[in-house]
Amino acid sequence: MTTAPRRIDVHQHLVPSLYRDALAEAGIVEAGGRALPGWSPEAALEAMDLLGTETAILSVSTPGTGFLGDPGEAADLARRLNDSSAALSAEHPARFGWFATLPMPDVAASAREAERALTELGADGVTLLANNQGVYLGAEGQDALWRVLDEHGAVVFVHPADLPAPAVEGIPPFAADFLLDTTRAAYLLVRGGVPRRYPNIRFVLSHGGGFLPYASHRMAVALAADIGRSPRDILEDFRGFYFDTALSSSPAALPTLLAFARPGHVLFGSDWPFAPAAAGQYFANGLDAGVDPGTLAAVNRTNAEALFPRLAQVAPAPAPSRPLPVRLRQSAQRAGARLFFKIVQPGTE
């Protein structure tokens, strides 16, 4: 590595050709209001080197397999995506981990594929969209999946999807709706008692948990009136989630997240390639400049090592042999990103 952090990025996506082709066949050319980005393992490794990321845990973003109306086709696509991800991780074991894709909202098929991915393919966890065709996590009828995930002590990466309602003109879904989608899923998981009934599942909420840290007390009061539990217990359930920093480690959001989350529950995330490298650098600079060295080391790596113990055993990856022009370009990009981050911060007057 050419930089010090050795970050573990728990929120990085892959867009393999088999998935892009399936989306194209269905007429889908964007996700969350953004055009599908280019992706390759080589481009991912270069972006990781730029951010000081040693290992990325890859996942398929929205729409997952839910765009396929036939459950059998969705299950087949999930299976092929997981086989492909497992092969990529085996080829680059120090650089790539992966979360399995599950063919939700088919709970039975998702439970079977989770079992296969976790036991046969060595997945680091599974990805679940906050809602699947309008059915949110935490809804009734999902216990067969929760039982499998609890049995394996699985990490569940919760990623937002388009809201089950038309987008508002002028607001791309990724800008605001995605945050609400994650918040809704967290609320309904706690309302349904899923974290308490299945305590071995570790849920990671994307993008700093959406609005959850900021609005947690308001939501706890509402839930307490609804289900008759104490606000304190509900807040403890909310704090039991893990959170990634993708597009969320700003001077405004990061202090709230760190004040709310349990110690050890905040993890580094970039959202590359849906968030371009420049955006990843911007928010990484917010993290680098916004916390003390101990917290920074924890968010960058050690919190993730505790969640994914195999990564604590991974030897440091050898420094990539990049051509001199690439190294000079990356150095200039880092310096420019640091300067830009400082310039755009609002004043204190």
Side-chain angles (χ1 to χ4, degrees), residues 63-77:
T65 64
F67 67 95
L68 293 169
D70 183 278
E73 292 182 2
D76 178 67
L77 178 58

Side-chain angles (χ1 to χ4, degrees), residues 7-95:
R7 304 189 210 263
I8 295 172
D9 185 351
V10 303
H11 188 154
Q12 188 179 131
H13 297 298
L14 75 168
V15 192
S17 57
L18 71 94
Y19 187 57
R20 189 183 298 275
D21 291 346
L23 292 173
E25 188 173 343
I28 298 172
V29 296
E30 64 175 33
R34 294 187 67 93
L36 290 174
W39 177 87
S40 70
E42 295 75 22
L45 290 170
E46 184 170 339
M48 289 160 63
D49 295 340
L50 183 65
L51 288 177
T53 298
E54 182 157 281
T55 304
I57 303 181
L58 304 175
S59 57
V60 170
S61 186
T62 185
T65 64
F67 67 95
L68 293 169
D70 183 278
E73 292 182 2
D76 178 67
L77 178 58
R79 187 179 185 91
R80 290 187 292 126
L81 284 168
N82 293 335
D83 289 343
S84 174
S85 297
L88 177 63
S89 179
E91 186 177 352
H92 303 275
R95 305 305 306 272

